[in-house]
Amino acid sequence: MAANAILVAVDGQSADDWVQQLRLHAPGRDIRRWPQDSGNLAGIAYACVWRAPHGLLATFANLKAIIALSAGVDHVLADPKLPQVPIARVVHPDLTMRMVEYIVLHVLLHHRHQRRYDAQQRERVWKLHEQPPASEVAVGIMGLGAIGTKAGKVLADIGFQVAGWSRTQKNASGIEVFYGQGALDPFLNRTEILVCVLPATAATDGILNLRLFRRLKRNGALRGAYLINAARGRVQIDADILTALAEGSLAGATLDVFAQEPLPASSPLWTHPQVTITPHNAGDISPRLLAREIIAQIERIERGEKLLHLVDRRAGY
Ligand code: NDP
Ligand code: OXD
């Protein structure tokens, strides 16, 4: 019999949710949960994965496609035994908007001095700080894909001067576009609040480093440049963030992602007064809202159609 089972291999708590929601949208289908319910591995045709152990996918001899349950696919592409089947990732309005919420929230927390007011409240201090108009603050977004473009448009609607940086040329209304390595410095030189939503690839590893922070424009009223990294921990160098904060090339940072997650308790980032840390929750993927799309992806393959949101293995995203 031809392989047609769907396997959910998810590192974390949502595996049961995924299985339940996928079954709801494809009643009667053979949907399994790794590892306890993997069954005969030769029957597995579709693997839905989030941080599955390396080497696992290679044990499914009849695999037809890999569906990453995430926007970023670095966790899939890092598998040295990755089978040569198509890989799709998540692009969904719910995930995009959650990321946009996070980005706008943290841009505004900095822009409106909210962290300073929080500290003042603890000390019962009543003191105003200069608040520049959004139209005089330059936000720069690294990564003008599904998430970066939408976040840029919302920030531009609020009134910020928004620019984006991508690998290839883009057209996005309300956003000044810079692309390619040669345009990175001009993009940084005009950017006061830097948002990173790049994928983690060989080309972006460690890109958020001291050299880059020193090229950012410092906004006097906001006491310097600000970094928001909601991409992947691999793209930032923690020690360089600490140095940049100490020397003033960064006034502060919001970090959602880290090379090691959970961030070790020993990291000095936890207690740094200018750093805001969140536990990789900028975007959340809801099995309830996404399961229908995942089943639709599988049905596309079964109709002989191409997957949507295919990953380009060579580019790494
Ligand atoms: P997309 O693939 O739609 O966009 C990626 C963007 O990055 C594109 O504009 C691409 O350029 C650009 N890019 C890639 N490589 C380079 C490079 N070397 N130099 C310049 N630009 C580059 O991804 P999404 O917007 O859907 O997601 C972006 C990332 O956000 C994910 O890969 C993931 O790591 C992260 N993420 C984090 C979440 C969280 O909870 N913290 C949740 C969701 C996503 P081009 O347009 O030219 O291809
Ligand atoms: C993603 C994530 O990439 O949740 O979707 O980080």
Side-chain angles (χ1 to χ4, degrees), residues 31-64:
I31 300 178
R32 309 175 186 177
R33 179 184 164 173
W34 172 86
Q36 55 270 61
D37 174 29
S38 305
N40 173 9
L41 303 188
I44 295 166
Y46 311 103
C48 302
V49 298
W50 168 246
R51 293 180 172 168
H54 292 172
L56 176 71
L57 296 166
T59 63
F60 310 146
N62 297 311
L63 194 67
K64 294 180 189 149

Side-chain angles (χ1 to χ4, degrees), residues 70-74 89-91 95-96 99 142-149 165-170 179-181 196-201 203-204 207 229-232 256-257 280-285 315 317:
S70 55
V73 288
D74 43 300
R89 67 188 193 95
V90 170
V91 178
L95 173 63
T96 300
M99 289 294 285
M142 298 178 87
L144 267 189
I147 294 163
T149 303
W165 182 68
S166 53
R167 195 167 59 94
T168 59
Q169 190 164 15
K170 293 262 123 34
Y179 68 96
Q181 204 53 41
C196 182
V197 274
L198 287 168
T201 68
T204 64
I207 197 168
N229 183 14
R232 283 289 184 269
D256 183 54
V257 285
H280 195 147
N281 74 334
D284 200 9
I285 294 200
Y317 63 100

Side-chain angles (χ1 to χ4, degrees), residues 140-155:
I141 301 180
M142 298 178 87
L144 267 189
I147 294 163
T149 303
K150 184 70 185 173
K153 288 189 172 167
V154 174
L155 289 165

Side-chain angles (χ1 to χ4, degrees), residues 114-302:
Q114 190 55 45
R115 292 303 186 212
R116 297 172 83 185
Y117 291 122
D118 290 344
Q120 285 182 197
Q121 183 180 347
R122 287 192 288 274
E123 304 299 324
R124 298 167 195 241
V125 173
W126 185 279
K127 183 176 169 206
L128 297 181
H129 300 285
E130 182 191 343
Q131 183 182 300
S135 59
E136 292 174 12
V137 176
V139 179
I141 301 180
M142 298 178 87
L144 267 189
I147 294 163
T149 303
K150 184 70 185 173
K153 288 189 172 167
V154 174
L155 289 165
D157 280 349
I158 293 173
F160 289 102
Q161 299 169 19
V162 181
W165 182 68
S166 53
R167 195 167 59 94
T168 59
Q169 190 164 15
K170 293 262 123 34
N171 216 335
S173 79
I175 303 177
E176 188 185 356
V177 176
F178 295 78
Y179 68 96
Q181 204 53 41
L184 181 56
D185 278 0
F187 163 79
L188 297 169
N189 293 158
R190 52 76 62 201
T191 293
E192 296 161 325
I193 300 179
L194 181 69
V195 177
C196 182
V197 274
L198 287 168
T201 68
T204 64
D205 273 348
I207 197 168
L208 298 179
N209 56 40
L210 195 55
R211 180 196 173 280
L212 177 144
F213 302 139
R214 286 179 174 159
R215 278 163 176 71
L216 292 170
K217 184 173 172 191
R218 298 186 195 187
N219 185 310
L222 295 176
R223 304 202 300 182
Y226 196 82
L227 167 68
I228 298 168
N229 183 14
R232 283 289 184 269
R234 265 171 52 186
V235 308
Q236 84 198 9
I237 300 191
D238 291 4
D240 284 9
I241 294 174
L242 291 164
T243 305
L245 290 166
E247 71 178 21
S249 34
L250 282 179
T254 290
L255 307 173
D256 183 54
V257 285
F258 303 90
Q260 190 185 337
E261 294 179 2
L263 179 64
S266 59
S267 169
L269 290 169
W270 277 115
T271 49
H272 198 293
Q274 287 141 271
V275 175
T276 297
I277 288 183
T278 51
H280 195 147
N281 74 334
D284 200 9
I285 294 200
S286 154
R288 186 170 56 79
L289 298 182
L290 259 294
R292 191 161 55 85
E293 321 288 328
I294 304 297
I295 295 296
Q297 285 278 56
I298 289 166
E299 289 169 350
R300 291 180 72 84
I301 304 177
E302 293 179 337

